[in-house]
Amino acid sequence: MALITLGANSGKGKVLQVVQDTKLDTFSHTSASLTDITGLAVTITPSSTSSKIMIQASVTVGGGQADRNYLLAVTRGDTEIYKADQSGSSRQRAGGGIHYMHGISQMVGTYSTNIMYLDSPSSTSAITYKIKAQSNSGATMWINRTGDGTDGSNRASFPSSITVMEIAGW
């Protein structure tokens, strides 16, 4: 995790500090419950209650079965702060992720989900922002690798990261 301080309360909209966590290893998850993705959490302490926090994440997702949702959530602590509105009676809501339509060939793919959200926490206490994973129907969701188990030169592993920036309030 890296912390960079760029300035001290000088000017609205100015970036005051940046914190990043990078995940280089893989992670798997098979539950419909939201679960922390180890290595994709950062803690930042805003210098003012008027500060905004810009959250940016790039997460590589692969799945082990077709016609499944492999979802991501952005949380402040354990509270989801960024997800879609309900658009059907059964449709799942998420802040990012993928849905494999059908076919085994999709299991060898990896898909990068990019998330960007501006939060207004109104706090000067330490805040932990996390990316969490959620799968459905017992299907295995992978972070940073393909959904199939093949280890060959035509497969790859990828990094993921979360970056948060404190921005002077306006």
Side-chain angles (χ1 to χ4, degrees):
M1 186 179 323
L3 171 64
I4 303 167
T5 302
L6 300 174
N9 300 325
S10 57
K12 296 176 181 178
K14 180 176 176 135
V15 175
L16 302 177
Q17 59 178 314
V18 179
V19 184
Q20 181 181 65
D21 202 1
T22 303
K23 181 167 187 60
L24 303 177
D25 59 346
T26 61
F27 176 87
S28 65
H29 181 58
T30 58
S31 172
S33 298
L34 283 174
T35 299
D36 294 356
I37 301 172
T38 54
L40 288 180
V42 293
T43 300
I44 190 167
T45 304
S47 58
S48 169
T49 58
S50 65
S51 291
K52 309 291 185 196
I53 305 295
M54 175 62 76
I55 304 147
Q56 296 175 302
S58 177
V59 184
T60 304
V61 180
Q65 290 181 331
D67 200 24
R68 300 288 186 263
N69 287 323
Y70 302 102
L71 307 177
L72 301 172
V74 180
T75 66
R76 182 188 325 119
D78 287 320
T79 302
E80 282 186 82
I81 58 171
Y82 176 68
K83 67 179 175 181
D85 284 341
Q86 188 71 32
S87 62
S89 61
S90 298
R91 190 177 298 261
Q92 293 181 301
R93 300 169 11 161
I98 62 171
H99 175 84
Y100 280 151
M101 291 299 290
H102 48 48
I104 298 240
S105 63
Q106 293 175 331
M107 291 171 29
V108 300
T110 51
Y111 301 86
S112 181
T113 295
N114 296 299
I115 298 166
M116 185 178 287
Y117 178 67
L118 186 63
D119 188 31
S120 300
S122 299
S123 176
T124 56
S125 298
I127 301 166
T128 300
Y129 290 96
K130 304 174 188 178
I131 303 298
K132 294 189 174 208
Q134 178 181 359
S135 184
N136 69 352
S137 303
T140 302
M141 172 183 192
W142 287 96
I143 302 298
N144 293 350
R145 61 157 264 196
T146 57
D148 71 340
T150 303
D151 182 16
S153 61
N154 61 345
R155 302 294 190 271
S157 296
F158 300 91
S160 293
S161 67
I162 180 173
T163 305
V164 297
M165 295 178 274
E166 179 187 6
I167 301 170
W170 51 88

